[in-house]
Amino acid sequence: MAAKEDIYSKIIPRRLRPNRQNAVKHGSHLDVLLLMGFPHNRALKALVSTGGRNVQLACDWLFSHVDDPFLDDPLPREYVLYLRPSGPLQNQLSHFWQQSRLTCGKNKAHNIFPHITLCQFFMCADSKVEALCGALQSTVNQWRGRFPSPLPLELYTSSNFIGLFVEEQIAETLKKFAFDFAAEAATKADVQVEPHKKQLHVTLAYNFPSSHLASLEKLARGIEVKLSCDWLAVLFSRDVRFANHETLKVMYPYIPQNEDELELVPGDFIFTSPVEHMSTSEGWVYGTSLSTGLSGLLPENYVSRADECDTWVFHGSHSFFSALPSEKSNKESRTLDGLLSIQCLDNSKAGDSSIMNVVCQPMQVLRVNSHSQSPKRTLFVCRHGERMDVVFGKHWLSQCSDAKGRYVRSNLNMPPSLPAWGGNRDYDMDAPITVFGAIQARTVGEALLENNTTIDFVYCSPSLRCVQTAHEILKGMKREGKLRIRVEPGLFEWTKWVSGNSLPAWISPIGLAAANLSVDTTYKPHISITKLNVSESYDTYMSRSYRVTKDILADCKNKGNNILIVAHASSLEACTRQLQGLTPHNAKEFVQVVRKIPYLGLCACEEQDTGAWQLVDPPILPLTHGPNHSFSWRETLQQE
């Protein structure tokens, strides 16, 4: 304690010193921001707008909103309390969310994640938010052990609505919890909360075309409602000014050409109202940036529709069955953030005139979702690029060999050279990628780089097309030679699809490295080539894929957040489905899924706080490349 007191005595003028019991003992983020010279109302607004996570985020928010005309507006935010599922049931609901979106497109339910609404949106002043969060935690603590488990849900469908309804008697119990929270919030935070009075339910789909009902209902009936689930009480807030606005996500950067235009930064969100949308010129909309608070005109084709909840701020979640470890770690991190900021102030030797200018480290303008959590582990699975034998046919080798057996390029889409040509290479069974395949892969790598997505580990199937694709992705990310590819035979596709009675004669890691491909020659595979059997059963393939994926994740745990697997179309399904707690499709359904996955198709599977994995939107746009047939000017242009 004496050391902390010395810090304060060195950096804070006597007239500005706060009560030491409040500033030093609690080390609150607000105290630190005030010591840095920020006005009280702005510091509070910054903390509330970033979920109170740490001083750094609050500072970033303040600096990015320095020109926000509403920076000093005292208007409070709107809050809402939801029950949010976690565990196996959440995995099933997430799968329904994604499949329904892929099958039938987006409907109104997709604007918000799966949840049960416990109260209406309500206002809370910035100065009362900490007390509001305390009221929620206190209420959950009182209900811990009393919360009904399991929560009985029943599927209900109509012409434009599908949902899971809570059994009536249990629903009354949940409403009692909501009333208890409302009473606690009124006492501790002086806010008026109106508990939800309608039937409690999880909305699966609504406001969709009637032609989609059968497909959506079939998907909904696949949800196993009796799966175990830890329901979490979660608190979110939103900016009330944009409650009825459309939410858009910036896809491409835009530099304003005129004073009334808005700068666009990829990853930012834009709010625009239907009235403003209609009043602007064709191809332009008027919107307000989430990350800066500035408004202006922007080109409509630079943004895409986003979900409403993408811009909400997360203020905490609490389990009814156990105190989540994250609750404790969040408290510890907040205290640590406060102490680190105080130490930075000390190091700066700030005096009366310099407190306003003190910054612990270079601040980055806040350009991303305000309520984003600390980085989670993410598994990316990607299909290889365009392959030679598909483009030029199974006899493609005869088109690029001269009389002496040397490789000769006969089309611009054929690579200038091939690795290990002239050796005992069986290219019929292990085809390389085309020139466009390499371009596809580099394009994906460049997009990941532009999106600031880092990759810590790369694994790939032993197929040459997969190794080459992984190498080109690393080129696009400017990580070629810096990150080595781990060749894992366990990631090879379903061996039933291999023609003949033997597996391909793959180039060894040493041979691949000799061909200047960024391969880790020291890597020891989890499943050796000798363990692969020709014509394995579907169950064996799915089991193998799941096992090797789990082994890879275990190997990389605590060593890096992002793992990239480059393998086959089937790998996107085989490496992620069971990881989410879902049972495999049957073989027929599996084949139908695989047929829809294009070259360089990419999926992202994210580890949740509960330890479960869930598919999420990839950080980059999809890649579409249409067919481009071979062109002969003689045959086409010299016809009589």
Side-chain angles (χ1 to χ4, degrees):
M1 182 66 72
K4 296 176 187 176
E5 291 176 355
D6 288 343
I7 290 174
Y8 274 81
S9 65
K10 290 178 181 178
I11 65 171
I12 307 171
R14 185 173 298 278
R15 66 179 182 275
L16 294 179
R17 290 179 195 167
N19 182 289
R20 281 189 293 228
Q21 290 298 317
N22 293 330
V24 182
K25 181 178 179 180
H26 299 293
S28 77
H29 298 336
L30 178 60
D31 289 333
V32 175
L33 291 172
L34 294 178
L35 293 176
M36 296 173 71
F38 292 111
H40 188 274
N41 63 322
R42 291 189 178 187
L44 268 178
K45 178 171 282 193
L47 287 170
V48 170
S49 299
T50 56
R53 287 176 54 205
N54 57 51
V55 171
Q56 180 73 64
L57 275 181
C59 286
D60 288 347
W61 188 93
L62 284 164
F63 290 130
S64 65
H65 283 260
V66 67
D67 295 320
D68 184 349
F70 293 94
L71 182 59
D72 295 313
D73 190 334
L75 186 66
R77 295 177 67 85
E78 274 192 327
Y79 292 77
V80 69
L81 178 64
Y82 287 155
L83 282 182
R84 192 171 182 180
S86 66
L89 179 59
Q90 163 64 11
N91 293 336
Q92 294 244 339
L93 291 173
S94 296
H95 178 71
F96 170 85
W97 235 245
Q98 292 158 13
Q99 290 301 311
S100 62
R101 202 162 188 166
L102 288 171
T103 305
C104 303
K106 182 178 179 180
N107 62 68
K108 285 288 186 179
H110 287 115
N111 273 324
I112 306 174
F113 45 78
H115 67 279
I116 295 175
T117 302
L118 291 182
C119 68
Q120 306 299 320
F121 274 94
F122 60 92
M123 299 279 207
C124 180
D126 292 346
S127 60
K128 301 290 186 180
V129 172
E130 187 174 354
L132 178 67
C133 294
L136 175 59
Q137 184 167 358
S138 175
T139 309
V140 171
N141 288 342
Q142 295 170 23
W143 274 76
R144 194 160 282 138
R146 297 164 50 197
F147 190 86
S149 179
L151 205 63
L153 300 172
E154 183 177 354
L155 179 65
Y156 170 83
T157 64
S158 67
S159 59
N160 63 355
F161 176 89
I162 301 176
L164 300 173
F165 280 77
V166 182
E167 191 271 326
E168 187 173 352
Q169 185 175 357
I170 300 299
E172 291 304 314
T173 303
L174 299 185
K175 290 179 181 179
K176 178 63 170 62
F177 165 76
F179 275 103
D180 287 354
F181 167 68
E184 194 78 6
T187 301
K188 290 188 173 182
D190 192 26
V191 297
Q192 299 302 312
V193 179
E194 183 180 349
H196 200 59
K197 296 177 181 178
K198 298 180 180 180
Q199 290 179 288
L200 300 187
H201 62 276
V202 178
T203 301
L204 297 179
Y206 78 99
N207 199 12
F208 51 83
S210 57
S211 58
H212 294 167
L213 176 61
S215 298
L216 291 171
E217 187 174 8
K218 180 181 178 181
L219 287 171
R221 293 192 182 282
I223 300 173
E224 300 176 51
V225 296
K226 294 183 179 180
L227 285 175
S228 61
C229 179
D230 183 358
W231 291 89
L232 306 174
V234 294
L235 189 66
F236 286 90
S237 73
R238 67 183 183 187
D239 191 323
V240 66
R241 293 175 299 154
F242 306 117
N244 296 315
H245 284 49
E246 184 177 16
T247 305
L248 306 172
K249 187 172 184 179
V250 177
M251 308 307 296
Y252 309 105
Y254 178 76
I255 303 298
Q257 305 298 310
N258 299 289
E259 289 185 359
D260 61 349
E261 294 175 1
L262 184 66
E263 180 183 1
L264 299 182
V265 176
D268 190 11
F269 290 91
I270 305 295
F271 301 108
T272 181
S273 72
V275 175
E276 292 166 340
H277 192 114
M278 293 294 293
S279 64
T280 58
S281 303
E282 184 178 355
W284 290 77
V285 295
Y286 186 86
T288 302
S289 163
L290 170 69
S291 68
T292 66
L294 300 177
S295 301
L297 292 169
L298 57 131
E300 193 171 12
N301 59 346
Y302 279 55
V303 294
S304 64
R305 289 188 178 182
D307 297 336
E308 178 187 341
C309 63
D310 285 345
T311 61
W312 290 3
V313 175
F314 172 76
H315 294 275
S317 72
H318 305 277
S319 169
F320 288 93
F321 303 108
S322 63
L324 294 176
S326 59
E327 292 179 15
K328 180 180 179 182
S329 61
N330 283 341
K331 293 176 183 177
E332 292 173 348
S333 66
R334 288 174 183 170
T335 302
L336 179 61
D337 285 331
L339 294 178
L340 287 175
S341 298
I342 291 171
Q343 290 169 358
C344 289
L345 283 168
D346 178 48
N347 292 337
S348 70
K349 299 181 180 179
D352 282 23
S353 62
S354 60
I355 286 184
M356 278 293 292
N357 299 320
V358 173
V359 178
C360 303
Q361 62 186 61
M363 298 290 183
Q364 299 297 321
V365 175
L366 186 63
R367 296 293 194 186
V368 294
N369 211 346
S370 296
H371 72 272
S372 60
Q373 303 289 309
S374 56
K376 295 180 179 179
R377 283 214 300 166
T378 304
L379 173 68
F380 297 101
V381 186
C382 184
R383 187 190 176 189
H384 57 76
E386 181 182 81
R387 49 191 286 181
M388 288 277 283
D389 54 344
V390 171
V391 175
F392 298 106
K394 63 180 181 178
H395 300 300
W396 65 274
L397 280 169
S398 62
Q399 303 176 38
C400 51
S401 298
D402 64 10
K404 296 182 178 180
R406 292 173 298 190
Y407 177 78
V408 176
R409 186 185 195 187
S410 61
N411 188 285
L412 287 177
N413 199 21
M414 291 181 175
S417 62
L418 290 179
W421 182 268
N424 296 321
R425 290 294 305 118
D426 188 359
Y427 280 109
D428 279 330
M429 296 182 66
D430 190 23
I433 59 175
T434 62
V435 170
F436 276 114
I439 293 172
Q440 290 170 334
R442 282 199 303 276
T443 300
V444 167
E446 290 166 357
L448 290 170
L449 176 63
E450 291 172 3
N451 198 261
N452 296 319
T453 300
T454 59
I455 298 296
D456 301 298
F457 297 96
V458 181
Y459 291 80
C460 79
S461 160
S463 294
L464 178 58
R465 57 188 180 274
C466 298
V467 180
Q468 290 178 316
T469 300
H471 178 80
E472 295 297 332
I473 290 175
L474 290 178
K475 266 189 181 180
M477 296 186 73
K478 301 188 185 304
R479 300 292 303 279
E480 177 193 7
K482 300 175 183 177
L483 187 59
R484 298 291 177 181
I485 302 164
R486 297 177 173 181
V487 180
E488 175 54 65
L491 293 171
F492 184 59
E493 64 185 349
W494 189 7
T495 61
K496 180 182 177 180
W497 290 338
V498 175
S499 59
N501 297 318
S502 61
L503 296 173
W506 295 302
I507 303 176
S508 69
I510 293 176
L512 293 168
N516 296 318
L517 295 170
S518 302
V519 171
D520 183 354
T521 57
T522 65
Y523 174 67
K524 184 177 180 180
H526 291 285
I527 298 178
S528 65
I529 294 175
T530 58
K531 297 294 183 181
L532 298 179
N533 298 313
V534 178
S535 299
E536 66 187 339
S537 69
Y538 171 67
D539 289 342
T540 300
Y541 168 62
M542 293 300 288
S543 176
R544 162 168 64 86
S545 299
Y546 178 50
R547 186 171 73 254
V548 75
T549 303
K550 293 282 284 183
D551 288 342
I552 288 171
L553 292 173
D555 268 4
C556 300
K557 191 173 180 64
N558 300 322
K559 299 176 183 177
N561 282 329
N562 293 339
I563 302 163
L564 171 64
I565 288 177
V566 180
H568 308 270
S570 58
S571 304
L572 276 73
E573 170 82 355
C575 293
T576 63
R577 184 169 178 81
Q578 294 174 86
L579 195 62
Q580 299 172 78
L582 304 174
T583 54
H585 288 298
N586 61 44
K588 184 177 180 180
E589 293 171 332
F590 172 75
V591 171
Q592 294 304 314
V593 171
V594 172
R595 284 177 176 173
K596 298 177 182 178
I597 298 172
Y599 293 127
L600 269 299
L602 176 73
C603 71
C605 200
E606 187 178 79
E607 186 178 30
Q608 306 301 297
D609 293 336
T610 59
W613 289 79
Q614 177 182 327
L615 282 175
V616 297
D617 287 333
I620 62 173
L621 297 172
L623 174 68
T624 303
H625 174 65
N628 187 49
H629 301 294
S630 181
F631 170 68
S632 170
W633 65 271
R634 292 181 185 277
E635 296 177 6
T636 305
L637 304 180
Q638 287 194 331
Q639 290 182 352
E640 295 293 338

